[in-house]
């Protein structure tokens, strides 16, 4: 699929918005775009919805910021965002379209891929430019294989995993331009996203995840809720904890759950089955609390506490509270 016109060297970064703001992971996408863009290309950031602080994108790698503030985008649903992104691609003819693998991003990438049509590399954990095009790497078969996808068609879509690519600042300024397109009326079948309660972060985007497994033994997950609150993180769970009905499936981490890449992953009463590890092996630091010194999770942990979580967690909570008050 080659359009054969234009100078397809630009990279278009799609920035979703929430509550009138641009989520932090968009900075990661812009910085990634900076590392991939050719000397003759520009990084163009399309802000999809009303948002304050759009000009801040220049500091993270954008050469141009386009602001689309159509009220249809405020519902954070993928259909209008896909129509908008497709119109931007038609107008700008970018070499690559970059967006985060958030809940909306996944949905949007798939729709855009069909609309354009263009190939999409989902959940990329590495990317580099070569003579052939951009090569996106993803983890496959529960982390046993790494798959490299060559993106050489114009407007190929790269959906990057959140919290994997660093956000680097640079000094740059520019002006924000308006962008608009004909958007379809809201589709009746699509549900809207309910915003999280204030102060809570989405599991897949969290910088800190505290996860509980069967070892929680019905012990109150409110301990983990409290811990997550103190650390500004999210609560996750193993499949065993989900099967027990202690947590909803949307909290499951692993091969058949969510993939998380936080800076800190605290695994409480989780043995460390390969299917669980598949969802959290991208964590920078793993801390495990387990009463069994032979538990496989310890071989993946940077720090391990051998002990009963019913003693360790309350002590940890006390400690953090003391630190907060100090
Ligand atoms: P267990 O393996 O039972 O481990 C409980 C741990 O808690 C033990 O290590 C024990 O020593 C410790 N413990 C017990 N009491 C205490 C205490 N009081 N204090 C401290 N430690 C204590 N699993 C996932 O998590 N995510 C997935 O997405 C997933 N997908 C799967 C897909 C397939 C196709 C299959 C076959 C399996 C999948 N599984 C998945 C299941 C996986 O194989 C494991 O069964 C599951 O991860 C085990 O959960 P767990 O570690 O909580 O429980």
């Amino acid at each position: 699929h080659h359009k054969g016109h234009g100078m397809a060297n630009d990279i278009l970064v799609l920035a979703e918005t929430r509550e009138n703001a641009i989520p932090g992971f968009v900075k990661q996408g812009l910085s990634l775009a900076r590392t991939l863009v050719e000397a003759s290309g520009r990084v163009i950031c399309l802000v999809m919805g009303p948002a304050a602080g759009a000009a801040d994108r220049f500091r993270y790698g954008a050469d141009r910021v386009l602001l689309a503030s159509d009220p249809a985008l405020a519902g954070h649903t993928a259909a209008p965002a896909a129509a908008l992104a497709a119109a931007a691609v038609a107008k700008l003819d970018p070499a690559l379209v970059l967006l985060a693998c958030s809940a909306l991003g996944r949905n949007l990438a798939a729709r855009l891929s069909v609309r354009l049509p263009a190939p999409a590399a989902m959940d990329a954990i590495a990317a580099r430019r070569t003579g052939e095009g951009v090569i996106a790497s993803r983890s496959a078969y529960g982390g046993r294989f790494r798959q490299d996808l060559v993106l050489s068609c114009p407007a190929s879509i790269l959906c990057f995993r959140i919290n994997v690519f660093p956000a680097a600042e640079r000094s740059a300024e520019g002006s924000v331009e308006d962008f608009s397109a004909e958007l379809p009326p809201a589709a009746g079948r699509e549900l809207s996203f309910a915003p999280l309660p204030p102060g809570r972060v989405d599991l897949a985007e969290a910088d800190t995840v505290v996860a509980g497994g069967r070892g929680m033994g019905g012990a109150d997950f409110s301990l983990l809720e409290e811990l997550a609150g103190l650390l500004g993180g999210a609560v996750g769970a193993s499949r065993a904890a989900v099967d027990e009905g202690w947590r909803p499936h949307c909290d499951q981490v692993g091969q058949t759950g969510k993939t998380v890449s936080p800076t800190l992953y605290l695994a409480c009463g989780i043995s460390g089955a390969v299917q669980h590890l598949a969802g959290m092996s991208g964590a920078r630091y793993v801390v495990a609390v387990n009463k069994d010194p032979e538990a496989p999770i310890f071989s993946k942990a940077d720090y391990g506490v051998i002990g009963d979580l019913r003693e360790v967690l309350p002590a940890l909570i006390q400690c953090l509270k003391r630190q907060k008050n100090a």
Side-chain angles (χ1 to χ4, degrees):
H1 164 75
H2 263 278
K3 289 195 208 127
H5 66 84
M7 296 230 329
N9 287 333
D10 294 345
I11 297 183
L12 176 64
V13 178
L14 303 178
E16 64 184 89
T17 65
R18 292 184 191 160
E19 308 294 301
N20 245 339
I22 302 170
F25 54 73
V26 172
K27 296 170 186 169
Q28 298 162 14
L30 289 167
S31 296
L32 173 60
R34 212 57 267 159
T35 69
L36 296 175
V37 75
E38 284 182 285
S40 59
R42 290 164 306 170
V43 174
I44 306 171
C45 181
L46 175 63
V47 179
M48 305 181 294
D56 205 31
R57 300 315 103 189
F58 294 109
R59 272 206 295 139
Y60 292 93
D63 295 308
R64 237 180 121 186
V65 171
L66 304 178
L67 192 58
S69 49
D70 192 306
L73 298 162
H76 311 294
T77 53
L84 181 84
V89 168
K91 180 152 188 237
L92 303 164
D93 193 20
L96 192 68
V97 180
L98 260 174
L99 74 169
C101 224
S102 61
L104 176 69
R106 275 174 200 278
N107 190 339
L108 172 54
R111 285 168 186 267
L112 194 58
S113 177
V114 173
R115 251 174 185 272
L116 291 175
M122 302 301 291
D123 204 23
I125 53 173
R128 63 183 198 278
R129 168 167 290 289
T130 69
E132 278 179 285
V134 167
I135 299 191
S137 305
R138 52 195 305 276
S139 162
Y141 300 107
R144 278 185 289 273
F145 290 93
R146 189 172 145 136
Q147 192 178 43
D148 282 352
L149 303 169
V150 183
L151 300 173
S152 53
C153 312
S156 293
I157 300 160
L158 195 160
C159 198
F160 65 90
R161 186 182 290 180
I162 291 168
N163 292 343
V164 170
F165 298 96
E169 283 196 54
R170 56 172 203 151
S171 60
E173 284 177 11
S175 60
V176 180
E177 303 152 52
D178 285 327
F179 181 82
S180 62
E182 187 86 30
L183 302 184
R189 279 175 304 163
E190 194 175 5
L191 302 177
S192 66
F193 287 108
L196 288 163
R200 296 299 300 272
V201 276
D202 185 83
L203 177 60
E205 297 163 19
D207 197 47
T208 300
V209 172
V210 293
R214 202 193 314 271
M216 292 298 290
D220 224 348
F221 259 88
S222 64
L223 280 175
L224 292 190
E225 294 275 358
E226 193 174 359
L227 205 50
L230 284 163
L231 294 167
V235 176
S238 73
R239 173 152 146 189
V242 172
D243 287 347
E244 292 285 352
W246 301 333
R247 298 300 294 185
H249 181 262
C250 61
D251 283 359
Q252 183 175 317
V253 173
Q255 192 179 318
T256 44
K258 287 195 173 139
T259 303
V260 298
S261 322
T263 303
L264 172 65
Y265 190 84
L266 179 62
C268 306
I270 292 177
S271 61
V274 287
Q275 296 88 356
H276 187 79
L277 300 178
M280 45 65 77
S281 54
R284 180 119 5 116
Y285 299 106
V286 176
V287 178
V289 181
N290 199 301
K291 66 179 183 185
D292 173 11
E294 304 294 327
I297 189 78
F298 284 128
S299 69
K300 299 285 171 206
D302 298 281
Y303 298 94
V305 182
I306 301 166
D308 191 321
L309 56 85
R310 281 165 295 194
E311 291 165 23
V312 178
L313 294 185
L316 184 57
I317 288 169
Q318 281 314 312
C319 191
L320 286 166
K321 276 187 175 162
R322 244 180 284 131
Q323 230 177 45
K324 281 244 149 115
N325 294 331

